[in-house]
């Protein structure tokens, strides 16, 4: 049975949800599931904006058939060739033999990589700023390479002023009937997953995101329609502001996030003392994470949110505690920059963790590493407590408190 929602009289959401998938890209936990968004425009010509993941093929095809109501499908616009959005291309070509695939040169090449079909005779290759008329609706194409694949483009519908933005502006989470941002409490229920999606999926490509934002900055926009998550039809400035901060690697908040690894609880004890001391000084909403039990995608998301970071870990096999090493690796891979960082190390002998963490951070851009480093020798003692107090004061001074 079909399950669709109208965006406008002529444009319908024909996507679906997967609440059974545990790991997005087999990497990122998605306890709230994920949506696969696809949009169908019915005019003198009909056009489908992207397909969906194989997990929802049956629902997706039923949605299309219902919305077309006996009509054929003229065009398939392929904004993005990642398999969670292109899995149904072959099926659609079988069901709608007159269908033309619309994409750029890289799109058509990738179709040949994923599928054993020759799209050349059934495709329309578009260039930057080309248009396609459907009748009353006109589609204009803007390329967005490396947001977050090289073939990505965005499609703008001129008459109703909708931007089909591919993976940009997407978020983890299945849509629970409420497809539109003004039907939910975004700040409370969706922002953490939107941030986690951006920082881990698109975070490396801030420069490219900035370029894409500039292309659409002057467009009149009524809706932003991504391939995952909510459709935005109000408060677009809120979403665009988040992307401006994230893509420039500017922290969303003046806030402190503390990330610790602790084998027997002693490093954690020092972190708790530091957090309490910061709270006594008036710092609010401090976040503390055990990096051994928190997925790294959550840690990266919090790093994109917060201005100040504390990294605390023991020396392990003469190196950095493995969970912290993994976090540092992801920070570099995702181009984290413009943060203030404090370091705490622990070692019962030959402690070298802080030196190695500092070296890793120095490979990143514009990271201010506070001079005060706390070294614990097994547990927090009077001498290291004094250093911890000095670190607290250094963090407070950097926060302006």
């Amino acid at each position: 049975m079909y399950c669709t929602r109208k965006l406008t009289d002529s444009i319908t959401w024909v996507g679906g949800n997967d609440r059974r998938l545990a790991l997005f890209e087999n990497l990122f936990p998605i306890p709230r599931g994920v949506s696969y968004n696809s949009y169908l425009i019915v005019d003198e010509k009909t056009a489908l904006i992207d397909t969906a993941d194989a997990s929802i093929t049956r629902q997706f095809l039923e949605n299309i058939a219902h919305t077309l109501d006996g009509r054929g499908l003229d065009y398939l616009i392929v904004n993005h060739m990642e398999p969670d959005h292109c899995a149904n291309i072959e099926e659609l070509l079988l069901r709608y033999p007159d269908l033309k695939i619309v994409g750029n040169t890289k799109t058509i090449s990738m179709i040949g990589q994923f599928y054993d079909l020759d799209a050349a005779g059934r495709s329309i290759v578009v260039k930057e700023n080309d248009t396609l008329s459907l009748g009353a609706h006109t589609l204009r194409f803007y390329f967005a390479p490396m947001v977050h694949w090289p073939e990505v483009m965005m499609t703008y519908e001129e008459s109703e002023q909708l931007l089909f933005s591919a993976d940009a502006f997407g978020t983890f989470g299945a849509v629970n009937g409420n497809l539109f941002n003004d039907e939910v409490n975004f700040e409370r229920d969706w922002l953490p997953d939107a941030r986690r999606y951006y920082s881990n999926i698109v975070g490396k490509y801030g420069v490219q995101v900035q370029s894409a934002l500039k292309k659409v900055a002057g467009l009149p926009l009524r809706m932003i329609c991504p391939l995952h998550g909510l459709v935005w039809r109000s408060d677009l400035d809120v979403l665009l502001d988040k992307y401006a901060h994230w893509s420039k690697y500017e922290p969303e908040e003046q806030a402190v996030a503390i990330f610790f690894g602790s084998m027997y609880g002693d490093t954690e004890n020092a972190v708790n003392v530091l957090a309490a001391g910061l709270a006594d000084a008036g710092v609010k909403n401090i976040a503390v994470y055990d990096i051994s039990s928190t997925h790294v995608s959550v840690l990266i998301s919090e790093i994109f949110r917060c201005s100040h970071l504390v990294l605390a870990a023991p020396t392990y096999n003469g190196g950095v505690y493995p969970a912290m090493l993994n976090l540092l690796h992801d920070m570099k891979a995702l181009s984290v920059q413009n943060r203030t960082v404090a370091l705490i190390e622990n070692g019962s002998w030959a402690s070298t963790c802080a030196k190695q963490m500092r070296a890793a951070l120095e490979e990143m851009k514009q990271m201010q590493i506070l001079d005060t480093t706390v070294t614990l020798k097994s547990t927090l003692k009077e001498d290291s407590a004094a250093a911890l107090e000095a670190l607290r004061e250094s963090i407070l001074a950097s926060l302006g408190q």
Side-chain angles (χ1 to χ4, degrees):
M1 181 66 177
Y2 68 89
C3 179
T4 63
R5 285 205 67 186
K6 285 277 192 182
L7 275 65
T8 71
D9 288 342
S10 304
I11 303 176
T12 304
W13 176 82
V14 292
N17 296 293
D18 188 348
R19 297 183 179 86
R20 297 185 179 187
L21 185 66
L23 297 174
F24 186 82
E25 296 185 347
N26 213 22
L27 284 174
F28 307 109
I30 46 170
R32 298 170 58 227
V34 67
S35 77
Y36 302 109
N37 298 340
S38 176
Y39 309 92
L40 182 55
I41 304 173
V42 176
D43 198 337
E44 293 174 21
K45 296 288 187 178
T46 57
L48 181 68
I49 312 294
D50 291 293
T51 78
D53 189 78
S55 63
I56 65 161
T57 293
R58 179 179 175 183
Q59 178 76 76
F60 174 63
L61 294 173
E62 289 176 357
N63 290 347
I64 292 170
H66 166 75
T67 305
L68 288 172
D69 193 23
R71 293 187 58 179
L73 183 59
D74 295 304
Y75 301 113
L76 168 62
I77 314 301
V78 181
N79 285 323
H80 186 20
M81 270 300 298
E82 202 166 2
D84 56 337
H85 305 299
C86 74
N88 292 284
I89 290 177
E90 281 186 308
E91 185 65 34
L92 287 170
L93 289 171
L94 290 172
R95 289 175 179 247
Y96 302 99
D98 296 326
L99 176 64
K100 294 288 188 181
I101 298 171
V102 180
N104 56 57
T105 302
K106 289 185 172 69
T107 307
I108 305 307
S109 174
M110 282 192 178
I111 289 174
Q113 293 173 204
F114 279 100
Y115 304 109
D116 293 323
L117 62 88
D118 181 9
R122 304 190 62 176
S123 61
I124 298 172
V125 178
V126 296
K127 301 185 293 296
E128 177 85 27
N129 213 36
D130 278 357
T131 60
L132 177 67
S133 175
L134 306 178
H137 295 78
T138 299
L139 305 180
R140 187 176 294 274
F141 306 103
Y142 295 96
F143 289 13
M146 297 317 301
V147 185
H148 58 122
W149 278 28
E151 87 301 352
V152 172
M153 64 184 190
M154 299 182 288
T155 300
Y156 178 64
E157 200 294 298
E158 294 184 339
S159 66
E160 301 200 72
Q161 301 174 351
L162 274 64
L163 179 68
F164 301 98
S165 59
D167 268 349
F169 306 113
T171 178
F172 296 132
V175 293
N176 301 321
N178 298 131
L179 175 65
F180 300 100
N181 71 296
D182 55 14
E183 298 177 327
V184 302
N185 187 325
F186 174 75
E187 189 83 17
R188 184 190 67 197
D189 298 330
W190 284 87
L191 177 56
D193 265 338
R195 185 189 301 112
R196 188 164 67 95
Y197 177 89
Y198 176 89
S199 58
N200 289 277
I201 304 297
V202 193
K204 178 179 177 65
Y205 304 106
V207 172
Q208 291 84 352
V209 172
Q210 280 289 303
S211 177
L213 288 173
K214 289 175 183 175
K215 287 185 180 183
V216 301
L219 296 176
L221 289 179
R222 285 182 55 221
M223 292 188 201
I224 295 177
C225 310
L227 288 175
H228 296 292
L230 301 171
V231 171
W232 283 72
R233 65 181 181 186
S234 66
D235 301 320
L236 302 189
D237 57 318
V238 172
L239 182 63
L240 292 169
D241 180 69
K242 293 298 182 187
Y243 261 63
H245 277 84
W246 296 337
S247 61
K248 293 176 184 174
Y249 304 98
E250 296 174 349
E252 266 180 83
E253 302 174 23
Q254 281 287 106
V256 179
I258 305 174
F259 306 96
F260 75 88
S262 188
M263 296 167 63
Y264 300 107
D266 295 306
T267 306
E268 181 178 7
N269 172 245
V271 161
N272 287 331
V273 172
L274 175 62
L278 292 171
D280 279 341
V283 179
K284 297 180 179 179
N285 300 318
I286 301 163
V288 179
Y289 293 94
D290 183 342
I291 60 174
S292 296
S293 59
T294 307
H295 194 270
V296 69
S297 67
V298 176
L299 308 179
I300 290 293
S301 177
E302 284 293 85
I303 288 169
F304 268 72
R305 179 179 69 86
C306 296
S307 60
H308 287 65
L309 318 174
V310 179
L311 306 183
T315 299
Y316 196 88
N317 286 333
V320 179
Y321 191 60
M324 184 63 76
L325 191 62
N326 186 39
L327 174 58
L328 288 163
H329 173 272
D330 271 23
M331 289 171 64
K332 181 181 178 183
L334 294 166
S335 298
V336 168
Q337 51 195 275
N338 297 326
R339 296 300 185 271
T340 299
V341 188
L343 300 176
I344 300 173
E345 65 177 352
N346 196 347
S348 295
W349 70 96
S351 186
T352 62
C353 184
K355 180 180 179 180
Q356 294 178 64
M357 288 193 291
R358 180 180 290 271
L361 290 164
E362 286 173 346
E363 294 180 359
M364 305 174 203
K365 295 179 181 178
Q366 300 179 63
M367 301 293 274
Q368 180 187 357
I369 308 169
L370 297 180
D371 291 333
T372 303
T373 297
V374 176
T375 298
L376 309 176
K377 292 185 177 179
S378 303
T379 62
L380 186 63
K381 299 290 188 182
E382 289 301 320
D383 56 345
S384 49
L388 193 65
E389 173 61 20
L391 182 63
R392 182 188 80 118
E393 292 300 322
S394 183
I395 294 171
L396 291 171
S398 178
L399 284 166
Q401 292 186 236

